[in-house]
């Protein structure tokens, strides 16, 4: 919101026409939210460029308008454009990619080879990323913020109990998930089962 008030909307959002004679926002959702928040709350900048909220909706000419480019595209093209936009902005995590891969596979019939081509990665990496969806949701949320993709992939081979043990050990030491901790959990599991 501050950036839009200071410099204006630098890049338009993108939308497409859909059959019921409305438009669907493809990307630029955060820009739309910022403009809506500014308008709904009477937000402005003071002389020190700090946000000031009056709490009253902007009226008439003072309302900001979202700049939007309208494109014609089908569902598949819209989904692909959204993936490319988010990847360019580096606003997705490996878990986001895994969910997108699944949608491409299940909803649009893509093969792992086609997904790899779209994402400009190897087919093996597509397979690795898929494993992240086997992790519990609370662990998935940490990937990309509190945990690297590599660390998360190490957890995929452990049982849910062992995953939690490794996470607790990392929290207690104030460190990240260590490969050594994962291997230790695997050895303990193999010893217990006789494998």
């Amino acid at each position: 919101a501050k950036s839009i008030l200071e410099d204006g909307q630098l890049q338009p959002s993108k939308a497409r026409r859909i059959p019921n004679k409305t438009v669907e926002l493809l990307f630029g959702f955060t820009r739309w939210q910022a403009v809506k928040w500014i308008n709904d709350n009477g937000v402005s900048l003071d002389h020190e460029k700090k946000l000031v909220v009056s709490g009253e909706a902007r009226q008439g000419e003072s309302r900001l308008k979202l700049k939007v480019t309208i494109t014609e595209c089908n569902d598949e093209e819209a989904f692909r454009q959204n993936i490319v936009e988010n990847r360019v902005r580096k606003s997705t995590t490996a878990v986001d990619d895994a969910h997108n891969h699944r949608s491409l596979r299940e909803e649009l019939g893509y093969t792992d080879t086609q997904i790899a081509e779209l994402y400009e990665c190897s087919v093996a990496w597509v397979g690795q990323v898929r494993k992240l969806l086997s992790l519990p949701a609370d662990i998935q949320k940490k990937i990309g913020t509190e945990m690297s993709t590599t660390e998360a992939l190490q957890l995929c081979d452990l049982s849910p109990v062992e995953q939690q043990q490794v996470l607790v050990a990392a929290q207690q030491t104030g460190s990240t998930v260590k490969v050594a901790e994962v291997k230790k959990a695997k050895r303990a599991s193999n010893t217990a089962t006789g494998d």
Side-chain angles (χ1 to χ4, degrees):
K2 185 176 181 193
S3 169
I4 288 173
L5 286 169
E6 285 179 345
D7 305 318
Q9 184 182 338
L10 299 177
Q11 186 175 5
S13 296
K14 195 166 192 179
R16 69 175 177 147
R17 288 184 191 356
I18 53 177
N20 67 1
K21 301 200 188 258
T22 60
V23 293
E24 174 184 56
L25 196 60
L26 297 176
F27 47 83
F29 183 73
T30 304
R31 284 165 265 174
W32 172 74
Q33 284 183 312
V35 168
K36 185 175 181 330
W37 181 74
I38 290 166
N39 287 332
D40 291 349
N41 296 290
V43 179
S44 59
L45 292 177
D46 66 12
H47 66 283
E48 295 175 352
K49 298 211 177 212
K50 292 183 180 172
L51 291 174
V52 177
V53 179
S54 73
E56 295 181 22
R58 288 177 174 227
Q59 301 298 321
E61 291 298 314
S62 68
R63 288 185 69 81
L64 293 179
K65 293 187 177 176
L66 182 71
K67 295 176 189 170
V68 179
T69 301
I70 305 292
T71 186
E72 302 295 329
C73 59
N74 63 30
D75 290 347
E76 180 179 354
E77 291 164 340
F79 191 68
R80 287 174 59 107
Q81 285 181 29
N82 193 285
I83 288 171
V84 169
E85 171 74 7
N86 286 327
R87 292 193 72 232
V88 166
R89 293 182 175 281
K90 296 181 174 32
S91 61
T92 59
T93 65
V95 173
D96 297 326
D97 290 344
H99 285 288
N100 286 339
H101 294 180
R102 181 171 55 194
S103 293
L104 287 167
R105 213 180 281 103
E106 294 176 2
E107 296 169 25
L108 300 172
Y110 275 50
T111 65
D112 283 356
T113 302
Q114 291 170 312
I115 293 169
E117 287 171 5
L118 176 63
Y119 275 80
E120 298 176 349
C121 65
S122 69
V123 174
W125 181 247
V126 171
Q128 288 291 309
V129 169
R130 181 184 302 151
K131 290 172 151 186
L132 297 175
L133 297 179
S134 69
L135 293 170
D138 62 322
I139 295 176
Q140 288 182 25
K141 287 179 187 172
K142 295 178 182 188
I143 301 169
T145 54
E146 301 172 38
M147 176 187 311
S148 74
T149 303
T150 304
E151 292 165 342
L153 286 169
Q154 291 289 324
L155 293 174
C156 291
D157 296 332
L158 300 176
S159 72
V161 170
E162 292 164 334
Q163 291 168 358
Q164 291 303 323
Q165 289 171 343
V166 170
L167 290 173
V168 167
Q171 287 174 337
Q172 288 173 344
T173 61
S175 66
T176 59
V177 173
K178 301 286 187 216
V179 174
E181 288 295 324
V182 174
K183 287 181 179 176
K184 182 177 166 185
K186 284 181 187 176
R187 278 194 304 275
S189 174
N190 290 343
T191 303
T193 61
D195 292 341

